[in-house]
Structure formats: structure tokens, C-alpha cells
């Protein structure tokens, strides 16, 4: 589905209001606000420990917020597990990918959600169907692997990242959250992952991309938000900011954009 032309102005697909998260004495998030439109690619930046992963774990149902509310498509929601978030179409690709290395690609894509008839509460896995569906899905995403029977541990870092993204998008995801998907990749593989993100956007899927790499952010994102010490620090469309300004946000400084006007991205 194509994202509507006025994607930025309509009701957000996902919104979080006044989210706080306490881990014992640590305040990981302090009244954070967040919004995401349909088909929008949002970059999330911030220094180590700024709260990026924690916020995304809350939006994907892994952590419950200590305070605040989440609104999905206009309705307040309370996720008690990633399964709840997945049910409304929110999927997260974790920093450590969470793939099963000793299993083939096609099994990783459907892990725990295999196609096939249900019998006595268990799914009778239809391997042939699952293999074909995996192959079709990878083709749609333009992900090339030798065979879906290959074990994931035999793949390069970029291919593993692609399988993790394929897994996240196998069931009509509406929002895919990616936590530093390019951090461990070689340059050539980074481009492929970023192009996958562009492909998802073209299909109307919203993407949240946590990244420390300005090249990634400025290549794929529509907007960027910065957290600093667990708080909202800045938020701007890419057209309204510069790499240097965003780097400043990560360090907790603002301004100086006029002197950097030549660096503006249009
Ligand atoms: N499960 C946890 N238990 C206790 N403290 C935690 C937990 N998860 C995160 N924190 C703390 O919350 C704060 C925010 O961490 P978070 O992982 O969200 O940061 P981040 O922005 O993702 O950093 P990085 O760029 O290093 O991945 C940090 O002080 C971290 O130590
Ligand atoms: Mg993190």
C-alpha cells in the first residue's frame, strides 16, 4: 500500500506520551514523547545510554513503561509482551538479531509462526510450504541467498541482518524497529540493508532506525529525533537539519546551523 501524500500531517500511526522507565534507581527514560507516521522512516540518535533501545523495547512490548501511555492508530494500547505488539503489526529487529544460527534460513523466518494446520494446539509444520513462502518473501525483498536451506551461521553479517529483517516483515508488519542494523557490517552490506529499509517504506511500512552513523540517517530517514540522558532533546525533518547539527544533539549541544548552511540536505 502506498503511504498517503499527507503522511506527516495525519494522525500518527504510533504515539507515545510521557514515557518514563525506571530500572531500580536508574531513570532510563524521563517523560519521553514520540510519534511516527505511516510510511515514515524515523532515525533515532543519542549517545550510549541515552535510552534509545529502552524506548524501542517499550514500543515493541518487551518492556512495560513505568509511566506514560502508548497510542496505536488512535487507540491506547498496553503491550504485555512482544506478541501483543506483533499483533498490531509492530516488529523489532534486535541489536543481537536473535536468530538461530544452527537452523536454516527458512526456519528462522517463521520460527514459532510456521505455516501449517493446527493439531492439538500445535502447528504441524508444512516444510515445503514454509520453504516456498520464505523464498517468495526473500525475492520480494530482493534478498539473494544461495538457498533457503543454508544455515544462518554460514551467512555474512549483512545477509544475517537481511534474514532478521525478512523475519520481521514476514507477517504484514506495519512498523519495523531496527536497533543499529548496520553497526557490525562491511560497507557493501550496509548499502543493502539501507536499500531494504527504502523498500519497506515504498510498501507503506514505517521504519524506526536507531543508528550512530550519520551516513545511514541521512540516506534513508525522513526525520530524526535525538534523546539525551533519557529525555527528548531534538526532532527535525532531514530537510531542516544538518549532519553537524545532529552530531551536536548526540553530544547535547544545539545551534550553529547557520554557519553550516552549505552542509544542508535538500
Ligand atoms: N535491563 C536493564 N536494567 C538496568 N538498567 C538498564 C537496563 N536496560 C537499560 N538500562 C539502563 O538504561 C539506560 C539506557 O540504556 P539503553 O540501552 O536504552 O541506551 P541506548 O541509547 O540504547 O545506548 P547504546 O547506544 O549504547 O545502545 C542506561 O543507563 C542503561 O544502563
Ligand atoms: Mg542501544
Amino acid at each position: 500500500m502506498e503511504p498517503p501524500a499527507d503522511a506527516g500531517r495525519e494522525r500518527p500511526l504510533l504515539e507515545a506520551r510521557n514515557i518514563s522507565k525506571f530500572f531500580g534507581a536508574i531513570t532510563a527514560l524521563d517523560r519521553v514523547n514520540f510519534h511516527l507516521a505511516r510510511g515514515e522512516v524515523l532515525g533515532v540518535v543519542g549517545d550510549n545510554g541515552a535510552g534509545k533501545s529502552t524506548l524501542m523495547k517499550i514500543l515493541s512490548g518487551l518492556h512495560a513503561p513505568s509511566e506514560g501511555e502508548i497510542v496505536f492508530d488512535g487507540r491506547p494500547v498496553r503491550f504485555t509482551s512482544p506478541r501483543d505488539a506483533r499483533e498490531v503489526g509492530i516488529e523489532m529487529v534486535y541489536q543481537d538479531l536473535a536468530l538461530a544460527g544452527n537452523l536454516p534460513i527458512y526456519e528462522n523466518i517463521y520460527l514459532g509462526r510456521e505455516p501449517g494446520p493446527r493439531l492439538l494446539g500445535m502447528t504441524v509444520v508444512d516444510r515445503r510450504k514454509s520453504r516456498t513462502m520464505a523464498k517468495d518473501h526473500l525475492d520480494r525483498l530482493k534478498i539473494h541467498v544461495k538457498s533457503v536451506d543454508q544455515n544462518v551461521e554460514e551467512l555474512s553479517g549483512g545477509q544475517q541482518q537481511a534474514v532478521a529483517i525478512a523475519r520481521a516483515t514476514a507477517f504484514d508488519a506495519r512498523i519495523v524497529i531496527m536497533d543499529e542494523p548496520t553497526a557490525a557490517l562491511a560497507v557493501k552490506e550496509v548499502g543493502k540493508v539501507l536499500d531494504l529499509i527504502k523498500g519497506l517504506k515504498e510498501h507503506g511500512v514505517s521504519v524506526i532506525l536507531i543508528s550512530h552513523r550519520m551516513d545511514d540517517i541521512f540516506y534513508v530517514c525522513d526525520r530524526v529525533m535525538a534523546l539525551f540522558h533519557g529525555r527528548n532533546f531534538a526532532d527535525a525533518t532531514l530537510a531542516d537539519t544538518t549532519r553537524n547539527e545532529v552530531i551536536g544533539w548526540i553530544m547535547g549541544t544545539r545551534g550553529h546551523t547557520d554557519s553550516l548552511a552549505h552542509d544542508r540536505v535538500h
Side-chain angles (χ1 to χ4, degrees):
M1 218 172 62
E2 285 293 312
D6 61 347
R9 273 168 283 141
E10 66 184 308
R11 179 174 78 193
L13 179 58
L14 181 64
E15 210 179 343
R17 298 178 189 146
N18 290 313
I19 298 286
S20 294
K21 180 68 182 177
F22 311 116
F23 292 109
I26 297 172
T27 301
L29 296 172
D30 185 9
R31 290 162 289 165
V32 168
N33 289 304
F34 171 93
H35 63 100
L36 180 72
R38 285 170 187 74
E40 184 177 39
V41 181
L42 172 69
V44 177
V45 300
D47 207 354
N48 296 120
K52 306 178 296 293
S53 295
T54 303
L55 178 61
M56 295 312 140
K57 286 173 182 171
I58 288 172
L59 296 177
S60 65
L62 191 71
H63 288 325
S66 307
E67 292 169 1
E69 66 167 351
I70 301 173
V71 179
F72 181 82
D73 212 1
R75 280 170 297 126
V77 285
R78 207 173 286 268
F79 303 139
T80 57
S81 73
R83 185 185 293 251
D84 289 348
R86 184 171 287 150
E87 245 163 49
V88 302
I90 302 174
E91 292 270 357
M92 179 151 170
V93 180
Y94 292 97
Q95 226 160 347
D96 62 3
L97 298 184
L99 295 171
N102 58 343
L103 292 180
I105 294 170
Y106 78 91
E107 284 193 40
N108 267 278
I109 291 180
Y110 296 110
L111 219 56
R113 300 177 288 175
E114 289 85 355
R118 305 266 304 165
L119 194 68
L120 302 175
M122 307 222 320
T123 303
V124 183
V125 178
D126 183 338
R127 284 184 192 286
R128 230 169 92 181
K129 190 168 172 195
S130 152
R131 219 184 248 121
T132 316
M133 280 171 58
K135 174 122 198 28
D136 289 350
H137 185 54
L138 290 171
D139 284 349
R140 263 198 307 281
L141 292 172
K142 300 194 182 72
I143 297 171
H144 303 290
V145 292
K146 273 195 214 120
S147 153
V148 290
D149 294 315
Q150 250 187 311
N151 276 1
V152 159
E153 62 202 359
E154 295 165 16
L155 302 175
S156 74
Q159 286 174 316
Q160 291 193 17
Q161 189 62 238
V163 170
I165 293 170
R167 172 177 159 72
T169 55
F171 295 90
D172 295 329
R174 297 178 70 185
I175 298 173
V176 177
I177 303 173
M178 299 187 202
D179 198 347
E180 302 197 37
T182 62
L185 302 185
V187 178
K188 217 174 114 189
E189 296 188 317
V190 168
K192 286 190 184 161
V193 169
L194 296 178
D195 286 336
L196 267 177
I197 294 175
K198 288 196 164 186
L200 294 178
K201 178 186 168 67
E202 276 168 25
H203 285 92
V205 177
S206 307
V207 178
I208 304 169
L209 170 69
I210 298 180
S211 182
H212 288 275
R213 298 165 39 101
M214 289 306 115
D215 284 350
D216 296 6
I217 299 281
F218 279 80
Y219 182 62
V220 289
C221 295
D222 300 306
R223 181 164 62 90
V224 56
M225 73 174 271
L227 294 177
F228 187 72
H229 291 182
R231 294 194 179 149
N232 287 106
F233 189 78
D235 188 321
T237 61
L238 280 223
D240 289 330
T241 186
T242 63
R243 285 169 194 245
N244 286 337
E245 188 179 43
V246 175
I247 291 167
W249 293 346
I250 294 170
M251 298 184 296
T253 58
R254 294 179 203 279
H256 313 299
T257 45
D258 287 348
S259 60
L260 300 165
H262 62 276
D263 195 30
R264 272 189 123 71
V265 172
H266 291 284

PDB file of all heavy atoms in Angstrom, residues 23 26 28 47-54 95 180 212, ligand 1:
ATOM      1  N   PHE A  23      14.797   1.658  36.061  1.00  0.00           N
ATOM      2  CA  PHE A  23      15.387   0.360  36.406  1.00  0.00           C
ATOM      3  C   PHE A  23      16.003   0.569  37.793  1.00  0.00           C
ATOM      4  O   PHE A  23      17.090   1.118  37.899  1.00  0.00           O
ATOM      5  CB  PHE A  23      16.489  -0.042  35.418  1.00  0.00           C
ATOM      6  CG  PHE A  23      15.996  -0.348  34.032  1.00  0.00           C
ATOM      7  CD1 PHE A  23      16.260   0.519  32.972  1.00  0.00           C
ATOM      8  CD2 PHE A  23      15.286  -1.520  33.768  1.00  0.00           C
ATOM      9  CE1 PHE A  23      15.836   0.223  31.689  1.00  0.00           C
ATOM     10  CE2 PHE A  23      14.853  -1.819  32.475  1.00  0.00           C
ATOM     11  CZ  PHE A  23      15.121  -0.948  31.438  1.00  0.00           C
ATOM     12  N   ILE A  26      17.924   3.800  38.481  1.00  0.00           N
ATOM     13  CA  ILE A  26      18.264   4.431  37.196  1.00  0.00           C
ATOM     14  C   ILE A  26      17.012   4.895  36.475  1.00  0.00           C
ATOM     15  O   ILE A  26      16.047   4.137  36.324  1.00  0.00           O
ATOM     16  CB  ILE A  26      19.002   3.430  36.273  1.00  0.00           C
ATOM     17  CG1 ILE A  26      20.340   3.020  36.908  1.00  0.00           C
ATOM     18  CG2 ILE A  26      19.232   4.023  34.876  1.00  0.00           C
ATOM     19  CD1 ILE A  26      21.028   1.889  36.168  1.00  0.00           C
ATOM     20  N   ALA A  28      16.001   5.496  33.007  1.00  0.00           N
ATOM     21  CA  ALA A  28      16.457   5.296  31.623  1.00  0.00           C
ATOM     22  C   ALA A  28      15.707   6.242  30.684  1.00  0.00           C
ATOM     23  O   ALA A  28      16.266   6.726  29.701  1.00  0.00           O
ATOM     24  CB  ALA A  28      16.244   3.849  31.209  1.00  0.00           C
ATOM     25  N   ASP A  47      23.554   9.424  22.475  1.00  0.00           N
ATOM     26  CA  ASP A  47      24.798   8.824  22.948  1.00  0.00           C
ATOM     27  C   ASP A  47      24.529   7.447  23.569  1.00  0.00           C
ATOM     28  O   ASP A  47      23.374   7.096  23.822  1.00  0.00           O
ATOM     29  CB  ASP A  47      25.403   9.763  24.011  1.00  0.00           C
ATOM     30  CG  ASP A  47      26.911   9.610  24.091  1.00  0.00           C
ATOM     31  OD1 ASP A  47      27.460   8.707  23.417  1.00  0.00           O
ATOM     32  OD2 ASP A  47      27.523  10.397  24.834  1.00  0.00           O
ATOM     33  N   ASN A  48      25.574   6.704  23.842  1.00  0.00           N
ATOM     34  CA  ASN A  48      25.424   5.425  24.541  1.00  0.00           C
ATOM     35  C   ASN A  48      24.710   5.687  25.868  1.00  0.00           C
ATOM     36  O   ASN A  48      25.081   6.596  26.602  1.00  0.00           O
ATOM     37  CB  ASN A  48      26.784   4.785  24.840  1.00  0.00           C
ATOM     38  CG  ASN A  48      27.530   4.413  23.566  1.00  0.00           C
ATOM     39  OD1 ASN A  48      28.615   4.896  23.327  1.00  0.00           O
ATOM     40  ND2 ASN A  48      26.932   3.582  22.756  1.00  0.00           N
ATOM     41  N   GLY A  49      23.679   4.886  26.127  1.00  0.00           N
ATOM     42  CA  GLY A  49      22.947   5.034  27.385  1.00  0.00           C
ATOM     43  C   GLY A  49      21.874   6.110  27.354  1.00  0.00           C
ATOM     44  O   GLY A  49      21.226   6.366  28.363  1.00  0.00           O
ATOM     45  N   ALA A  50      21.643   6.730  26.196  1.00  0.00           N
ATOM     46  CA  ALA A  50      20.646   7.809  26.105  1.00  0.00           C
ATOM     47  C   ALA A  50      19.215   7.306  26.281  1.00  0.00           C
ATOM     48  O   ALA A  50      18.308   8.085  26.577  1.00  0.00           O
ATOM     49  CB  ALA A  50      20.774   8.524  24.761  1.00  0.00           C
ATOM     50  N   GLY A  51      19.010   6.002  26.057  1.00  0.00           N
ATOM     51  CA  GLY A  51      17.674   5.445  26.247  1.00  0.00           C
ATOM     52  C   GLY A  51      17.007   4.965  24.961  1.00  0.00           C
ATOM     53  O   GLY A  51      15.839   4.560  24.971  1.00  0.00           O
ATOM     54  N   LYS A  52      17.747   4.945  23.871  1.00  0.00           N
ATOM     55  CA  LYS A  52      17.176   4.578  22.564  1.00  0.00           C
ATOM     56  C   LYS A  52      16.606   3.158  22.572  1.00  0.00           C
ATOM     57  O   LYS A  52      15.438   2.938  22.222  1.00  0.00           O
ATOM     58  CB  LYS A  52      18.249   4.687  21.455  1.00  0.00           C
ATOM     59  CG  LYS A  52      18.933   6.032  21.393  1.00  0.00           C
ATOM     60  CD  LYS A  52      20.001   6.076  20.318  1.00  0.00           C
ATOM     61  CE  LYS A  52      21.169   5.122  20.536  1.00  0.00           C
ATOM     62  NZ  LYS A  52      22.015   5.455  21.715  1.00  0.00           N
ATOM     63  N   SER A  53      17.444   2.201  22.963  1.00  0.00           N
ATOM     64  CA  SER A  53      16.984   0.802  22.945  1.00  0.00           C
ATOM     65  C   SER A  53      15.836   0.603  23.925  1.00  0.00           C
ATOM     66  O   SER A  53      14.875  -0.119  23.628  1.00  0.00           O
ATOM     67  CB  SER A  53      18.130  -0.154  23.293  1.00  0.00           C
ATOM     68  OG  SER A  53      19.133  -0.099  22.304  1.00  0.00           O
ATOM     69  N   THR A  54      15.929   1.252  25.077  1.00  0.00           N
ATOM     70  CA  THR A  54      14.864   1.094  26.079  1.00  0.00           C
ATOM     71  C   THR A  54      13.532   1.591  25.525  1.00  0.00           C
ATOM     72  O   THR A  54      12.499   0.924  25.667  1.00  0.00           O
ATOM     73  CB  THR A  54      15.229   1.858  27.375  1.00  0.00           C
ATOM     74  OG1 THR A  54      16.492   1.372  27.835  1.00  0.00           O
ATOM     75  CG2 THR A  54      14.181   1.661  28.447  1.00  0.00           C
ATOM     76  N   GLN A  95      19.311  -5.728  18.440  1.00  0.00           N
ATOM     77  CA  GLN A  95      20.723  -5.448  18.208  1.00  0.00           C
ATOM     78  C   GLN A  95      21.500  -6.752  17.986  1.00  0.00           C
ATOM     79  O   GLN A  95      22.362  -6.826  17.128  1.00  0.00           O
ATOM     80  CB  GLN A  95      21.281  -4.702  19.432  1.00  0.00           C
ATOM     81  CG  GLN A  95      22.127  -3.511  19.086  1.00  0.00           C
ATOM     82  CD  GLN A  95      22.269  -2.517  20.244  1.00  0.00           C
ATOM     83  OE1 GLN A  95      21.564  -2.565  21.254  1.00  0.00           O
ATOM     84  NE2 GLN A  95      23.176  -1.590  20.092  1.00  0.00           N
ATOM     85  N   GLU A 180      20.328  -0.421  15.498  1.00  0.00           N
ATOM     86  CA  GLU A 180      21.674  -0.420  14.932  1.00  0.00           C
ATOM     87  C   GLU A 180      21.928  -1.574  13.959  1.00  0.00           C
ATOM     88  O   GLU A 180      22.835  -2.378  14.155  1.00  0.00           O
ATOM     89  CB  GLU A 180      22.700  -0.434  16.071  1.00  0.00           C
ATOM     90  CG  GLU A 180      22.496   0.768  16.993  1.00  0.00           C
ATOM     91  CD  GLU A 180      23.696   1.043  17.879  1.00  0.00           C
ATOM     92  OE1 GLU A 180      24.813   0.856  17.399  1.00  0.00           O
ATOM     93  OE2 GLU A 180      23.488   1.454  19.027  1.00  0.00           O
ATOM     94  N   HIS A 212      24.085   5.175  14.957  1.00  0.00           N
ATOM     95  CA  HIS A 212      25.093   6.179  15.314  1.00  0.00           C
ATOM     96  C   HIS A 212      25.729   6.746  14.051  1.00  0.00           C
ATOM     97  O   HIS A 212      26.558   7.638  14.120  1.00  0.00           O
ATOM     98  CB  HIS A 212      26.194   5.548  16.183  1.00  0.00           C
ATOM     99  CG  HIS A 212      25.755   5.223  17.569  1.00  0.00           C
ATOM    100  ND1 HIS A 212      25.763   6.149  18.583  1.00  0.00           N
ATOM    101  CD2 HIS A 212      25.279   4.087  18.113  1.00  0.00           C
ATOM    102  CE1 HIS A 212      25.330   5.590  19.700  1.00  0.00           C
ATOM    103  NE2 HIS A 212      25.021   4.334  19.441  1.00  0.00           N
TER     104      HIS A 212
HETATM  105  N1  LIG B   1      17.555  -4.091  31.784  1.00  0.00           N
HETATM  106  C1  LIG B   1      18.168  -3.035  32.327  1.00  0.00           C
HETATM  107  N2  LIG B   1      18.437  -2.982  33.643  1.00  0.00           N
HETATM  108  C2  LIG B   1      19.032  -1.907  34.204  1.00  0.00           C
HETATM  109  N3  LIG B   1      19.395  -0.826  33.524  1.00  0.00           N
HETATM  110  C3  LIG B   1      19.161  -0.808  32.207  1.00  0.00           C
HETATM  111  C4  LIG B   1      18.541  -1.903  31.538  1.00  0.00           C
HETATM  112  N4  LIG B   1      18.416  -1.601  30.230  1.00  0.00           N
HETATM  113  C5  LIG B   1      18.950  -0.377  30.090  1.00  0.00           C
HETATM  114  N5  LIG B   1      19.385   0.101  31.267  1.00  0.00           N
HETATM  115  C6  LIG B   1      19.987   1.423  31.503  1.00  0.00           C
HETATM  116  O1  LIG B   1      19.157   2.405  30.909  1.00  0.00           O
HETATM  117  C7  LIG B   1      19.923   3.419  30.274  1.00  0.00           C
HETATM  118  C8  LIG B   1      19.542   3.489  28.814  1.00  0.00           C
HETATM  119  O2  LIG B   1      20.031   2.329  28.150  1.00  0.00           O
HETATM  120  P1  LIG B   1      19.738   1.997  26.630  1.00  0.00           P
HETATM  121  O3  LIG B   1      20.209   0.619  26.385  1.00  0.00           O
HETATM  122  O4  LIG B   1      18.326   2.294  26.335  1.00  0.00           O
HETATM  123  O5  LIG B   1      20.671   3.056  25.902  1.00  0.00           O
HETATM  124  P2  LIG B   1      20.972   3.233  24.342  1.00  0.00           P
HETATM  125  O6  LIG B   1      20.633   4.631  23.996  1.00  0.00           O
HETATM  126  O7  LIG B   1      20.329   2.147  23.573  1.00  0.00           O
HETATM  127  O8  LIG B   1      22.567   3.065  24.304  1.00  0.00           O
HETATM  128  P3  LIG B   1      23.535   2.372  23.206  1.00  0.00           P
HETATM  129  O9  LIG B   1      23.775   3.403  22.151  1.00  0.00           O
HETATM  130  O10 LIG B   1      24.782   2.102  23.987  1.00  0.00           O
HETATM  131  O11 LIG B   1      22.884   1.119  22.704  1.00  0.00           O
HETATM  132  C9  LIG B   1      21.379   3.066  30.543  1.00  0.00           C
HETATM  133  O12 LIG B   1      21.800   3.767  31.690  1.00  0.00           O
HETATM  134  C10 LIG B   1      21.327   1.578  30.807  1.00  0.00           C
HETATM  135  O13 LIG B   1      22.402   1.183  31.633  1.00  0.00           O
END
